[in-house]
Amino acid sequence: MPDPTTDTTATTTRSAWPVWLCWAAVALDGFDLVVLGAVIPVLAASGDLGFTAASLTVASTLGLVGVGIGAVAIGPVADRYGRRLPLIGCIALFSVLTLAIPLAGSTTSFTALRFAAGLGLGACLPTALAYMSEHAKPGRGGTAVTRMMTGYHVGAVMTALLGLWLIDAAGWESMFVVGGVAGLLVLPVMWARLPESQGYLDELARRGAAPAGTLSPARVRSSDVVRGRFLRVSLGLWVASFMGLLLVYGLNTWLPTIMGEAGYSISQGTGLLLVLNVGAVLGLLLAGRISDSRGNKPTVLVWFGLAAVFLAGLSVRLESTPLVYVAVTLAGIFVFSAQVLVYAFVGHLYPAPIRGTALGMSAGVGRVGAIVGPSLGGLLVTAGIAYPWGFYAFAVAALLALAALATVPAHLKEESVPDGVPSRA
């Protein structure tokens, strides 16, 4: 039986295991997107562990801070040691710490565990993105990344549905048990079936370096992605990633509330949140194909432009319920897949030796937007102007992402790679 760390022929090019295993890793991120939102009402109502509205906000925010730090920190590690072992290690860390959350005896320990688990979880996404960018067939990077990211929204939807049944039946602790166990179940399969990234192995072979999983001679630093012409590229992509996750988290947090201010019922608002994420999955399946056929840059520009149009359109009060659902579905199609197209664009522009670092930095900056988005929505709700100004604010965020990406070149020529960084993409 071939060693999964060294078999780089049939396994890497034909096996479906890497696709499904990276999809599962991203689904864990989707789980984290909604799990705290699902248990917060119970913790607030019961006062378990001494939680208050303020301490729940702190726990939620610090969890996202941990995710952002993990995303930034993992990039140089994945570029130096490969994609396989860091991805397995991150899932192990997240799973064990998530399983420990039900054992927390205070708000402090609960928050600390959420922060630490976030470090592992945040590192999963950029590592999986780098892996899939390199696993994809030439010219199919957009499709590979967007299909993998459907796991994010499928995980979010399934966790929300599970929470409706499981929290009442087994308590809020059961949600974290499920998340931790799910991660641990993935680990042995990943160890047995996930080969090292072909792009990483090719780079090692090109330099005559040591086998995958050992120390690479190239010392990768986060500063590598802002050297030379990469500075302008990185700044544009970071702004777009910030705005993209601002939209994803802002809408997922406040859409039901904003629609409630518009006069829709609570059940309609919850249903619209589900429709929003269904639209996200549809958009991901569509966006990747178009990106591969038309190019990364023109597609992501169109996607953010249409996202702005449909978000602004939600400010119009529609009397027809089916039309409302159609409008929200269209917003979901373009808003969420636009963010993922940014990741595909990153994977396309940067060479393999710093691709993990570039994706980690982009995801880390995006996580700051994930904190700002719900905060912005909360400010507008508190001020009583979330409808319609919330949708206008989100539309402006999409336009800012579009403007930032307009400054990024569609391709990077070989000579634009900074000195000291291998130029082979």
Side-chain angles (χ1 to χ4, degrees):
M1 181 176 179
D3 184 343
T5 66
T6 59
D7 180 24
T8 64
T9 56
T11 300
T12 303
T13 57
R14 289 193 276 275
S15 175
W17 280 108
V19 176
W20 286 109
L21 290 171
C22 287
W23 188 94
V26 172
L28 292 174
D29 206 349
F31 162 85
D32 193 69
L33 173 65
V34 300
V35 66
L36 195 58
V39 303
I40 277 178
V42 179
L43 291 172
S46 65
D48 282 359
L49 305 181
F51 270 115
T52 63
S55 56
L56 283 168
T57 301
V58 171
S60 177
T61 302
L62 287 181
L64 289 172
V65 170
V67 171
I69 293 174
V72 172
I74 196 60
V77 176
D79 283 334
R80 195 175 185 196
Y81 295 98
R83 320 305 189 201
R84 179 177 181 269
L85 291 180
L87 184 58
I88 292 172
C90 293
I91 292 175
L93 178 65
F94 161 76
S95 302
V96 170
L97 292 173
T98 297
L99 270 177
I101 287 177
L103 304 177
S106 66
T107 59
T108 301
S109 58
F110 181 102
T111 303
L113 286 169
R114 279 290 294 173
F115 172 81
L119 294 173
L121 186 67
C124 286
L125 180 60
T127 309
L129 285 167
Y131 189 105
M132 287 310 300
S133 294
E134 297 165 0
H135 178 77
K137 295 178 181 179
R140 300 283 290 172
T143 299
V145 169
T146 52
R147 283 183 177 176
M148 183 191 75
M149 287 299 294
T150 62
Y152 184 81
H153 296 285
V154 171
V157 171
M158 293 302 295
T159 304
L161 294 175
L162 180 66
L164 293 175
W165 165 74
L166 192 61
I167 292 176
D168 286 339
W172 63 266
E173 298 91 344
S174 60
M175 293 295 292
F176 295 101
V177 172
V178 168
V181 169
L184 292 178
L185 290 176
V186 169
L187 286 176
V189 184
M190 190 168 281
W191 184 266
R193 294 293 184 179
L194 186 71
E196 183 52 84
S197 156
Q198 186 64 50
Y200 176 79
L201 291 175
D202 288 347
E203 185 61 33
L204 289 182
R206 190 184 70 83
R207 295 193 231 128
T214 61
L215 185 63
S216 165
R219 291 183 175 273
V220 181
R221 299 176 296 273
S222 297
S223 61
D224 288 336
V225 301
V226 292
R227 294 170 61 193
R229 293 189 186 178
F230 278 141
L231 176 61
R232 177 167 63 96
V233 173
S234 294
L235 290 176
L237 291 168
W238 291 351
V239 171
S241 185
F242 176 95
M243 295 300 170
L245 279 184
L246 181 154
L247 293 174
V248 170
Y249 278 78
L251 285 170
N252 267 313
T253 302
W254 292 110
L255 180 67
T257 302
I258 295 175
M259 297 308 278
E261 289 194 5
Y264 300 98
S265 67
I266 294 176
S267 61
Q268 282 179 314
T270 304
L272 289 172
L273 183 60
L274 180 60
V275 166
L276 185 75
N277 281 279
V278 170
V281 174
L282 295 175
L284 289 170
L285 296 174
L286 176 66
R289 289 182 176 273
I290 295 177
S291 177
D292 287 335
S293 63
R294 301 295 183 183
N296 295 92
K297 181 174 179 176
T299 305
V300 73
L301 291 178
V302 169
W303 243 246
F304 270 113
L306 290 174
V309 170
F310 288 116
L311 284 168
L314 291 178
S315 66
V316 179
R317 179 73 165 87
L318 299 174
E319 299 300 328
S320 170
T321 299
L323 283 179
V324 175
Y325 277 82
V326 169
V328 172
T329 301
L330 289 170
I333 286 174
F334 292 101
V335 170
F336 292 172
S337 51
Q339 165 62 23
V340 178
L341 286 173
V342 174
Y343 293 142
F345 201 13
V346 174
H348 166 73
L349 287 174
Y350 293 86
I354 60 170
R355 186 172 293 134
T357 301
L359 284 163
M361 292 295 294
S362 181
V365 172
R367 293 294 179 172
V368 179
I371 298 171
V372 173
S375 300
L376 173 63
L379 288 173
L380 294 173
V381 168
T382 301
I385 57 172
Y387 182 82
W389 289 101
F391 291 126
Y392 295 150
F394 290 140
V396 169
L399 290 175
L400 290 174
L402 187 154
L405 289 170
T407 69
V408 177
H411 307 281
L412 281 179
K413 297 179 181 180
E414 185 171 334
E415 62 266 25
S416 69
V417 179
D419 294 336
V421 177
S423 62
R424 182 187 163 280

